[in-house]
Amino acid sequence: MSMPTPSVEYVLISPMLIVFGVAVTGVLFEAFLPRRFRYAGQVTLAIGGLVAAFVAIVVVAGKIPSSGDTAVLRALAIDGPTLLLQATVVLVSVMAIIFIAERRGGNNVATGPGAATAVAPGLDSFTPQASAIPDSAGERQAVRLGVAQTEVFPLTMLAVGGMMVFPAANDLLTMFIALEVLSLPLYLLCGLARYRRLQSQEAGLKYFLLGAFSSAFFLYGVALLYGATGTLALPGIRDALAARPGDSMALTGIALLAVGLLFKVGAVPFHSWIPDVYDGAPTPITGFMAAATKVAAFGALLRVIYVAMPPLHDQWRPVLWAISILTMVIATITAINQTDVKRMLAYSSVAHVGFILTGVIADIPAGVSSTMFYLVAYSFSTVGAFAVVGLVRNTNGEENAAMSRWGGLGRRYPVVGLLFSMFLLAFAGIPLTSGFVSKFAVFKAAAEGGAVPLVIIGVVASGVAAYFYVRVIVLMFFTEPPAEELQVVMPSFWSKAAIAVCAAVTIGLGVFPQPLLDLVERAAQLVQ
């Protein structure tokens, strides 16, 4: 049997090649570049590579037909949703790299009326020596020497590359490889926090073990689907399912496949890893995961559902109904009881998964476009919110997200309080923020798709969720500060600019959403 001649469309996959090329170059920097040049070299390389990848995405968008194109023996689908989600991942990753690169410290503590004069040591969120035992002599010596953990940049770029391939995958084998490429660096990054080292390592180990189980479910589902349909290509699976819609092996394979995808998006009941991992990971990595990983995972979920599973509409839709309702209700109720800001935001991100799933369940073109709008808007607000959380430190320089310590923070640092309040109001879906337009879009699409009861539950859950967002705002502005007040460490100019961009996008998409709504509507055409 003759093998097909490989055909690689380098222009179409150039954004992904750029990111992976930057990641490999970053590894070489770690091996050969003198230590004193690594930090500046890695930051410049990472941000420059992401900007180049974004330019390449724009170029590719102008070259492909409206119905999209395929590349690498049809293993990758290069179409509107792929390019839009890839662009979102790249832009969010630029913000994340800036926060990851933050090393500002010394005497850069913000001052306000009645502020204490204690100086926090800095904003470096990563351990200086990952291989050292927590609180060992080796780690203390690395702290004294001012060693900087620069391996985080090529690891982050490898994760970004996997996130770009994940929503573009047009067959299940490519999708599995992308899942592993984006996940493995994140397992490491979650365990590199500078403070609370044991908790950080526990978070990384927990994420690794549960992620390995979910990958095994995904791979087993791929094997069963291949056995039932004889193909790994999503369009081929759709045709085979149309011919035999009741095949038990295929249905079992799809169920196992869904476990892997729903674990990655963080839907109930596959969400148990999120609070502990988000809380233990370095805060810049938490923001990166909560935003970029969600964009990539929902992109893959959209492709599987809308390309491979139309013949099983009556089977998968009731299941997603139940998962969406459970996700919204359980996450919202659990978030109310949280006493830590990071854990509250973690459960908030789970609740938003339920809201986004209402757009996926719509099963109409408006469902795809509204889901993509939600992902774009939510990702910028999330990165900005976690960036602000990372600025709040105690007098020892450690992050402190305990709500009991955040009393009066907004009065002492009004700009920080207002920025964080704006992101929280966007999560709550208050008008004139991107969150309101996002929720309105997905609920409208779900109603048009016949899921009116789901919309009612979503609106009620959204109203209840507003309570725990407003509670933090009241705490910051209308509560007396505790005896030991927290400090806000002022970041560098670039971090300030990145937070300002996230805030501008959050408000801009709430006031002027139409340009992005038009863009996602044009992009919502999956390759058939």
Side-chain angles (χ1 to χ4, degrees):
M1 182 178 67
S2 61
M3 296 292 292
T5 303
S7 174
V8 180
E9 295 79 1
Y10 289 103
V11 173
L12 295 181
I13 63 173
S14 58
M16 292 168 272
L17 292 179
I18 290 171
V19 171
F20 282 121
V22 167
V24 173
T25 306
V27 173
L28 296 178
F29 275 16
E30 288 297 311
F32 300 108
L33 208 61
R35 183 180 294 276
R36 63 182 181 276
F37 298 128
R38 287 181 196 168
Y39 171 76
Q42 292 283 20
V43 174
T44 304
L45 177 67
I47 293 180
L50 290 172
V51 171
F54 181 78
V55 173
I57 290 171
V58 175
V59 172
V60 172
K63 290 181 175 295
I64 62 171
S66 58
S67 59
D69 206 344
T70 58
V72 195
L73 298 177
R74 301 183 65 85
L76 296 172
I78 310 299
D79 53 17
T82 294
L83 296 175
L84 181 67
L85 296 176
Q86 285 182 343
T88 304
V89 168
V90 167
L91 292 176
V92 168
S93 299
V94 171
M95 307 291 114
I97 288 290
I98 292 173
F99 301 136
I100 290 170
E102 184 60 69
R103 298 292 189 271
R104 192 75 175 251
N107 59 354
N108 298 289
V109 177
T111 58
T117 58
V119 177
L123 283 173
D124 190 349
S125 299
F126 298 91
T127 177
Q129 189 170 348
S131 59
I133 297 174
D135 201 31
S136 65
E139 186 176 66
R140 289 194 293 270
Q141 182 181 8
V143 172
R144 286 195 302 270
L145 295 175
V147 177
Q149 188 81 28
T150 53
E151 295 93 335
V152 297
F153 297 103
L155 286 173
T156 303
M157 295 304 294
L158 283 171
V160 173
M163 292 174 189
M164 295 178 70
V165 177
F166 203 32
N170 202 37
D171 67 58
L172 295 179
L173 183 59
T174 304
M175 191 172 288
F176 174 74
I177 293 172
L179 175 64
E180 295 305 297
V181 171
L182 77 88
S183 298
L184 291 174
L186 293 177
Y187 299 152
L188 295 174
L189 291 170
C190 286
L192 298 181
R194 188 179 188 89
Y195 303 103
R196 298 187 299 174
R197 294 282 292 119
L198 290 177
Q199 183 180 355
S200 177
Q201 291 183 348
E202 178 188 348
L205 183 60
K206 182 175 292 187
Y207 189 23
F208 168 69
L209 292 175
L210 294 177
F213 275 110
S214 73
S215 296
F217 278 109
F218 186 95
L219 192 58
Y220 196 14
V222 171
L224 290 178
L225 272 174
Y226 181 74
T229 63
T231 181
L232 294 173
L234 297 183
I237 292 173
R238 178 194 60 210
D239 296 338
L241 292 176
R244 293 183 297 168
D247 191 303
S248 59
M249 182 182 290
L251 292 175
T252 305
I254 287 174
L256 295 175
L257 196 73
V259 170
L261 292 174
L262 292 172
F263 172 88
K264 192 54 67 177
V265 302
V268 174
F270 313 106
H271 71 295
S272 59
W273 61 277
I274 285 184
D276 292 338
V277 173
Y278 280 20
D279 189 27
T283 300
I285 299 302
T286 302
F288 174 63
M289 290 172 56
T293 304
K294 223 173 231 65
V295 173
F298 266 106
L301 183 65
L302 281 171
R303 191 164 296 281
V304 168
I305 287 177
Y306 281 79
V307 175
M309 294 172 55
L312 300 181
H313 174 275
D314 295 335
Q315 284 84 358
W316 66 258
R317 207 163 185 242
V319 175
L320 281 190
W321 265 65
I323 291 175
S324 177
I325 293 172
L326 286 174
T327 302
M328 289 186 288
V329 172
I330 292 177
T332 299
I333 293 174
T334 310
I336 293 175
N337 300 320
Q338 299 306 307
T339 59
D340 183 276
V341 175
K342 282 183 74 173
R343 293 185 73 88
M344 183 272 288
L345 290 177
Y347 280 107
S348 165
S349 75
V350 177
H352 281 280
V353 171
F355 299 137
I356 299 172
L357 282 174
T358 61
V360 177
I361 290 169
D363 199 23
I364 56 176
V368 178
S369 60
S370 62
T371 300
M372 290 192 294
F373 183 94
Y374 203 124
L375 291 171
V376 174
Y378 172 77
S379 59
F380 280 93
S381 301
T382 300
V383 170
F386 278 106
V388 173
V389 172
L391 302 179
V392 180
R393 306 294 177 101
N394 60 22
T395 53
N396 295 323
E398 299 182 23
E399 294 179 8
N400 196 318
M403 289 186 186
S404 60
R405 303 289 302 281
W406 279 49
L409 190 70
R411 287 189 291 178
R412 297 175 59 236
Y413 305 104
V415 175
V416 174
L418 288 173
L419 283 171
F420 194 58
S421 299
M422 183 188 62
F423 293 130
L424 293 178
L425 292 176
F427 294 150
I430 301 301
L432 300 183
T433 65
S434 59
F436 173 78
V437 181
S438 301
K439 290 183 178 180
F440 180 81
V442 294
F443 290 161
K444 180 174 180 291
E448 292 175 354
V452 175
L454 185 62
V455 173
I456 295 174
I457 295 173
V459 171
V460 173
S462 185
V464 174
Y467 165 76
F468 54 79
Y469 297 125
V470 174
R471 182 180 61 170
V472 178
I473 298 174
V474 171
L475 188 69
M476 290 192 297
F477 287 98
F478 304 102
T479 305
E480 291 299 320
E484 185 181 352
E485 298 179 345
L486 297 178
Q487 307 293 323
V488 173
V489 182
M490 294 301 291
S492 65
F493 166 79
W494 295 107
S495 290
K496 292 178 184 176
I499 294 174
V501 169
C502 294
V505 172
T506 299
I507 295 300
L509 292 181
V511 179
F512 303 108
Q514 199 57 47
L516 182 58
L517 288 172
D518 294 338
L519 181 62
V520 295
E521 187 175 350
R522 291 195 300 270
Q525 181 63 49
L526 292 172
V527 173
Q528 299 298 315

Short mmCIF file of all heavy atoms in Angstrom, two decimals, residues 54-100:
data_model
loop_
_atom_site.label_atom_id
_atom_site.label_comp_id
_atom_site.label_asym_id
_atom_site.label_seq_id
_atom_site.Cartn_x
_atom_site.Cartn_y
_atom_site.Cartn_z
N PHE A 54 1.24 36.55 16.26
CA PHE A 54 -0.01 37.27 16.03
C PHE A 54 -0.04 37.88 14.63
O PHE A 54 -1.07 37.81 13.94
CB PHE A 54 -0.20 38.37 17.09
CG PHE A 54 -1.48 39.14 16.93
CD1 PHE A 54 -2.68 38.61 17.36
CD2 PHE A 54 -1.49 40.39 16.34
CE1 PHE A 54 -3.87 39.31 17.21
CE2 PHE A 54 -2.67 41.11 16.19
CZ PHE A 54 -3.86 40.56 16.63
N VAL A 55 1.07 38.45 14.20
CA VAL A 55 1.14 39.00 12.84
C VAL A 55 0.92 37.89 11.82
O VAL A 55 0.21 38.07 10.81
CB VAL A 55 2.49 39.70 12.61
CG1 VAL A 55 2.65 40.12 11.16
CG2 VAL A 55 2.62 40.92 13.53
N ALA A 56 1.51 36.72 12.07
CA ALA A 56 1.33 35.59 11.15
C ALA A 56 -0.13 35.15 11.09
O ALA A 56 -0.63 34.78 10.02
CB ALA A 56 2.22 34.43 11.58
N ILE A 57 -0.82 35.18 12.23
CA ILE A 57 -2.24 34.82 12.24
C ILE A 57 -3.04 35.78 11.36
O ILE A 57 -3.92 35.36 10.60
CB ILE A 57 -2.77 34.82 13.69
CG1 ILE A 57 -2.18 33.66 14.48
CG2 ILE A 57 -4.30 34.73 13.71
CD1 ILE A 57 -2.48 33.70 15.97
N VAL A 58 -2.75 37.07 11.48
CA VAL A 58 -3.44 38.06 10.65
C VAL A 58 -3.17 37.81 9.17
O VAL A 58 -4.08 37.89 8.33
CB VAL A 58 -3.01 39.48 11.06
CG1 VAL A 58 -3.62 40.52 10.13
CG2 VAL A 58 -3.42 39.77 12.50
N VAL A 59 -1.92 37.48 8.84
CA VAL A 59 -1.57 37.20 7.43
C VAL A 59 -2.32 35.97 6.93
O VAL A 59 -2.88 35.97 5.82
CB VAL A 59 -0.05 37.02 7.30
CG1 VAL A 59 0.30 36.53 5.90
CG2 VAL A 59 0.67 38.32 7.60
N VAL A 60 -2.33 34.91 7.73
CA VAL A 60 -3.02 33.68 7.33
C VAL A 60 -4.51 33.93 7.17
O VAL A 60 -5.15 33.41 6.23
CB VAL A 60 -2.77 32.56 8.36
CG1 VAL A 60 -3.63 31.34 8.06
CG2 VAL A 60 -1.30 32.17 8.36
N ALA A 61 -5.09 34.75 8.04
CA ALA A 61 -6.52 35.06 7.95
C ALA A 61 -6.87 35.71 6.63
O ALA A 61 -7.98 35.53 6.10
CB ALA A 61 -6.94 35.96 9.11
N GLY A 62 -5.95 36.46 6.06
CA GLY A 62 -6.20 37.11 4.78
C GLY A 62 -6.00 36.19 3.58
O GLY A 62 -6.37 36.55 2.47
N LYS A 63 -5.41 35.01 3.80
CA LYS A 63 -5.11 34.10 2.70
C LYS A 63 -6.11 32.97 2.53
O LYS A 63 -6.28 32.45 1.43
CB LYS A 63 -3.69 33.50 2.88
CG LYS A 63 -2.56 34.50 2.68
CD LYS A 63 -1.22 33.83 2.85
CE LYS A 63 -0.08 34.79 2.54
NZ LYS A 63 -0.07 35.20 1.11
N ILE A 64 -6.75 32.56 3.63
CA ILE A 64 -7.62 31.38 3.54
C ILE A 64 -8.99 31.78 3.00
O ILE A 64 -9.43 32.92 3.16
CB ILE A 64 -7.79 30.71 4.92
CG1 ILE A 64 -8.46 31.67 5.92
CG2 ILE A 64 -6.46 30.22 5.45
CD1 ILE A 64 -8.86 31.00 7.22
N PRO A 65 -9.70 30.85 2.34
CA PRO A 65 -11.07 31.14 1.90
C PRO A 65 -12.02 31.24 3.08
O PRO A 65 -11.68 30.84 4.21
CB PRO A 65 -11.41 29.94 1.00
CG PRO A 65 -10.51 28.84 1.48
CD PRO A 65 -9.24 29.51 1.93
N SER A 66 -13.21 31.73 2.85
CA SER A 66 -14.17 31.92 3.94
C SER A 66 -14.57 30.60 4.59
O SER A 66 -14.92 30.57 5.78
CB SER A 66 -15.42 32.63 3.41
OG SER A 66 -16.01 31.86 2.36
N SER A 67 -14.52 29.52 3.85
CA SER A 67 -14.88 28.21 4.41
C SER A 67 -13.71 27.54 5.12
O SER A 67 -13.87 26.45 5.68
CB SER A 67 -15.38 27.29 3.29
OG SER A 67 -14.38 27.13 2.30
N GLY A 68 -12.54 28.17 5.11
CA GLY A 68 -11.39 27.61 5.79
C GLY A 68 -10.55 26.71 4.91
O GLY A 68 -10.85 26.49 3.73
N ASP A 69 -9.47 26.19 5.47
CA ASP A 69 -8.55 25.33 4.74
C ASP A 69 -8.00 24.29 5.71
O ASP A 69 -8.24 24.36 6.91
CB ASP A 69 -7.41 26.17 4.15
CG ASP A 69 -6.79 25.51 2.92
OD1 ASP A 69 -7.02 24.30 2.71
OD2 ASP A 69 -6.09 26.21 2.17
N THR A 70 -7.29 23.31 5.19
CA THR A 70 -6.65 22.30 6.03
C THR A 70 -5.16 22.26 5.71
O THR A 70 -4.73 22.73 4.66
CB THR A 70 -7.26 20.91 5.81
OG1 THR A 70 -7.15 20.55 4.43
CG2 THR A 70 -8.73 20.90 6.22
N ALA A 71 -4.41 21.68 6.63
CA ALA A 71 -2.96 21.62 6.47
C ALA A 71 -2.44 20.30 7.04
O ALA A 71 -3.11 19.65 7.85
CB ALA A 71 -2.30 22.80 7.16
N VAL A 72 -1.25 19.91 6.60
CA VAL A 72 -0.54 18.72 7.07
C VAL A 72 -1.44 17.48 6.95
O VAL A 72 -1.84 16.87 7.94
CB VAL A 72 -0.04 18.89 8.53
CG1 VAL A 72 0.99 17.81 8.86
CG2 VAL A 72 0.55 20.26 8.76
N LEU A 73 -1.77 17.15 5.70
CA LEU A 73 -2.61 15.98 5.41
C LEU A 73 -3.94 16.04 6.15
O LEU A 73 -4.41 15.04 6.70
CB LEU A 73 -1.86 14.68 5.76
CG LEU A 73 -0.57 14.40 4.99
CD1 LEU A 73 0.10 13.14 5.47
CD2 LEU A 73 -0.85 14.32 3.49
N ARG A 74 -4.53 17.22 6.19
CA ARG A 74 -5.84 17.47 6.79
C ARG A 74 -5.86 17.22 8.30
O ARG A 74 -6.94 17.07 8.90
CB ARG A 74 -6.92 16.63 6.11
CG ARG A 74 -7.05 16.88 4.62
CD ARG A 74 -8.19 16.06 4.02
NE ARG A 74 -9.48 16.48 4.55
CZ ARG A 74 -10.19 17.50 4.08
NH1 ARG A 74 -9.73 18.22 3.06
NH2 ARG A 74 -11.35 17.80 4.61
N ALA A 75 -4.69 17.20 8.92
CA ALA A 75 -4.64 17.00 10.37
C ALA A 75 -5.00 18.28 11.12
O ALA A 75 -5.44 18.22 12.27
CB ALA A 75 -3.26 16.53 10.79
N LEU A 76 -4.83 19.43 10.48
CA LEU A 76 -5.12 20.71 11.10
C LEU A 76 -6.14 21.46 10.27
O LEU A 76 -6.03 21.50 9.04
CB LEU A 76 -3.85 21.56 11.25
CG LEU A 76 -2.75 21.00 12.16
CD1 LEU A 76 -1.49 21.84 12.05
CD2 LEU A 76 -3.23 20.95 13.60
N ALA A 77 -7.13 22.04 10.93
CA ALA A 77 -8.14 22.85 10.26
C ALA A 77 -7.81 24.32 10.50
O ALA A 77 -7.78 24.77 11.65
CB ALA A 77 -9.53 22.52 10.78
N ILE A 78 -7.55 25.04 9.44
CA ILE A 78 -7.21 26.46 9.55
C ILE A 78 -8.42 27.25 9.06
O ILE A 78 -8.62 27.44 7.85
CB ILE A 78 -5.97 26.81 8.73
CG1 ILE A 78 -4.83 25.83 9.04
CG2 ILE A 78 -5.54 28.24 9.00
CD1 ILE A 78 -4.39 25.83 10.49
N ASP A 79 -9.28 27.65 9.99
CA ASP A 79 -10.50 28.35 9.62
C ASP A 79 -10.74 29.51 10.59
O ASP A 79 -9.87 29.83 11.42
CB ASP A 79 -11.69 27.38 9.61
CG ASP A 79 -11.82 26.61 10.93
OD1 ASP A 79 -11.21 27.03 11.92
OD2 ASP A 79 -12.52 25.58 10.95
N GLY A 80 -11.90 30.13 10.49
CA GLY A 80 -12.20 31.30 11.30
C GLY A 80 -12.09 31.06 12.80
O GLY A 80 -11.38 31.79 13.50
N PRO A 81 -12.78 30.05 13.34
CA PRO A 81 -12.67 29.79 14.78
C PRO A 81 -11.24 29.50 15.23
O PRO A 81 -10.80 29.97 16.28
CB PRO A 81 -13.58 28.58 14.99
CG PRO A 81 -14.58 28.67 13.90
CD PRO A 81 -13.84 29.21 12.72
N THR A 82 -10.51 28.71 14.42
CA THR A 82 -9.12 28.41 14.78
C THR A 82 -8.29 29.67 14.92
O THR A 82 -7.61 29.89 15.93
CB THR A 82 -8.48 27.49 13.73
OG1 THR A 82 -9.13 26.22 13.75
CG2 THR A 82 -7.00 27.29 14.00
N LEU A 83 -8.34 30.53 13.91
CA LEU A 83 -7.50 31.72 13.91
C LEU A 83 -7.93 32.71 15.00
O LEU A 83 -7.08 33.34 15.64
CB LEU A 83 -7.55 32.39 12.53
CG LEU A 83 -6.96 31.55 11.39
CD1 LEU A 83 -7.16 32.25 10.05
CD2 LEU A 83 -5.48 31.28 11.62
N LEU A 84 -9.24 32.84 15.22
CA LEU A 84 -9.70 33.76 16.26
C LEU A 84 -9.26 33.29 17.64
O LEU A 84 -8.77 34.08 18.46
CB LEU A 84 -11.22 33.90 16.21
CG LEU A 84 -11.82 34.86 17.23
CD1 LEU A 84 -11.42 36.30 16.92
CD2 LEU A 84 -13.34 34.75 17.26
N LEU A 85 -9.41 32.00 17.91
CA LEU A 85 -9.02 31.48 19.21
C LEU A 85 -7.50 31.48 19.38
O LEU A 85 -6.99 31.74 20.47
CB LEU A 85 -9.58 30.07 19.40
CG LEU A 85 -11.11 29.98 19.44
CD1 LEU A 85 -11.56 28.54 19.55
CD2 LEU A 85 -11.68 30.79 20.60
N GLN A 86 -6.77 31.20 18.30
CA GLN A 86 -5.32 31.29 18.37
C GLN A 86 -4.87 32.71 18.66
O GLN A 86 -3.95 32.94 19.48
CB GLN A 86 -4.69 30.79 17.06
CG GLN A 86 -4.70 29.29 16.89
CD GLN A 86 -4.02 28.84 15.60
OE1 GLN A 86 -3.81 29.66 14.69
NE2 GLN A 86 -3.66 27.57 15.52
N ALA A 87 -5.50 33.68 18.01
CA ALA A 87 -5.15 35.08 18.28
C ALA A 87 -5.44 35.45 19.73
O ALA A 87 -4.65 36.16 20.37
CB ALA A 87 -5.92 35.99 17.32
N THR A 88 -6.55 34.95 20.26
CA THR A 88 -6.87 35.22 21.66
C THR A 88 -5.83 34.62 22.59
O THR A 88 -5.37 35.27 23.54
CB THR A 88 -8.26 34.66 22.00
OG1 THR A 88 -9.23 35.21 21.11
CG2 THR A 88 -8.65 35.00 23.43
N VAL A 89 -5.44 33.37 22.33
CA VAL A 89 -4.42 32.71 23.15
C VAL A 89 -3.11 33.50 23.11
O VAL A 89 -2.46 33.72 24.13
CB VAL A 89 -4.20 31.26 22.68
CG1 VAL A 89 -2.94 30.67 23.31
CG2 VAL A 89 -5.40 30.40 23.02
N VAL A 90 -2.72 33.95 21.92
CA VAL A 90 -1.46 34.68 21.78
C VAL A 90 -1.51 36.00 22.53
O VAL A 90 -0.58 36.36 23.26
CB VAL A 90 -1.15 34.91 20.28
CG1 VAL A 90 -0.02 35.92 20.11
CG2 VAL A 90 -0.77 33.59 19.62
N LEU A 91 -2.60 36.76 22.37
CA LEU A 91 -2.70 38.05 23.05
C LEU A 91 -2.73 37.89 24.56
O LEU A 91 -2.09 38.65 25.30
CB LEU A 91 -3.94 38.79 22.55
CG LEU A 91 -3.91 39.27 21.10
CD1 LEU A 91 -5.23 39.90 20.71
CD2 LEU A 91 -2.77 40.26 20.87
N VAL A 92 -3.50 36.92 25.04
CA VAL A 92 -3.54 36.66 26.48
C VAL A 92 -2.16 36.22 26.98
O VAL A 92 -1.73 36.59 28.08
CB VAL A 92 -4.61 35.60 26.79
CG1 VAL A 92 -4.48 35.11 28.23
CG2 VAL A 92 -6.00 36.17 26.56
N SER A 93 -1.46 35.45 26.17
CA SER A 93 -0.13 34.97 26.57
C SER A 93 0.87 36.12 26.66
O SER A 93 1.78 36.08 27.49
CB SER A 93 0.37 33.91 25.58
OG SER A 93 -0.50 32.80 25.56
N VAL A 94 0.71 37.14 25.82
CA VAL A 94 1.58 38.32 25.94
C VAL A 94 1.39 38.96 27.30
O VAL A 94 2.36 39.31 28.00
CB VAL A 94 1.29 39.33 24.80
CG1 VAL A 94 2.03 40.64 25.06
CG2 VAL A 94 1.69 38.77 23.45
N MET A 95 0.11 39.13 27.71
CA MET A 95 -0.16 39.68 29.04
C MET A 95 0.44 38.78 30.12
O MET A 95 1.08 39.27 31.07
CB MET A 95 -1.67 39.79 29.28
CG MET A 95 -2.47 40.54 28.24
SD MET A 95 -2.14 42.31 28.20
CE MET A 95 -1.38 42.44 26.60
N ALA A 96 0.27 37.47 29.98
CA ALA A 96 0.76 36.54 30.99
C ALA A 96 2.28 36.56 31.08
O ALA A 96 2.84 36.52 32.19
CB ALA A 96 0.26 35.13 30.68
N ILE A 97 2.96 36.63 29.94
CA ILE A 97 4.43 36.66 29.95
C ILE A 97 4.92 37.91 30.68
O ILE A 97 5.91 37.88 31.43
CB ILE A 97 4.98 36.62 28.52
CG1 ILE A 97 4.80 35.23 27.91
CG2 ILE A 97 6.45 37.03 28.48
CD1 ILE A 97 5.69 34.17 28.52
N ILE A 98 4.25 39.01 30.48
CA ILE A 98 4.64 40.25 31.18
C ILE A 98 4.52 40.08 32.69
O ILE A 98 5.41 40.48 33.45
CB ILE A 98 3.78 41.43 30.69
CG1 ILE A 98 4.13 41.77 29.23
CG2 ILE A 98 4.00 42.66 31.57
CD1 ILE A 98 3.23 42.81 28.61
N PHE A 99 3.44 39.44 33.13
CA PHE A 99 3.26 39.22 34.58
C PHE A 99 4.24 38.17 35.10
O PHE A 99 4.75 38.28 36.21
CB PHE A 99 1.83 38.81 34.89
CG PHE A 99 0.80 39.82 34.46
CD1 PHE A 99 -0.36 39.44 33.81
CD2 PHE A 99 1.02 41.18 34.68
CE1 PHE A 99 -1.30 40.38 33.40
CE2 PHE A 99 0.09 42.12 34.27
CZ PHE A 99 -1.07 41.72 33.63
N ILE A 100 4.51 37.14 34.29
CA ILE A 100 5.49 36.13 34.68
C ILE A 100 6.88 36.74 34.79
O ILE A 100 7.68 36.38 35.66
CB ILE A 100 5.49 34.96 33.66
CG1 ILE A 100 4.18 34.16 33.78
CG2 ILE A 100 6.69 34.04 33.86
CD1 ILE A 100 3.98 33.16 32.66
#
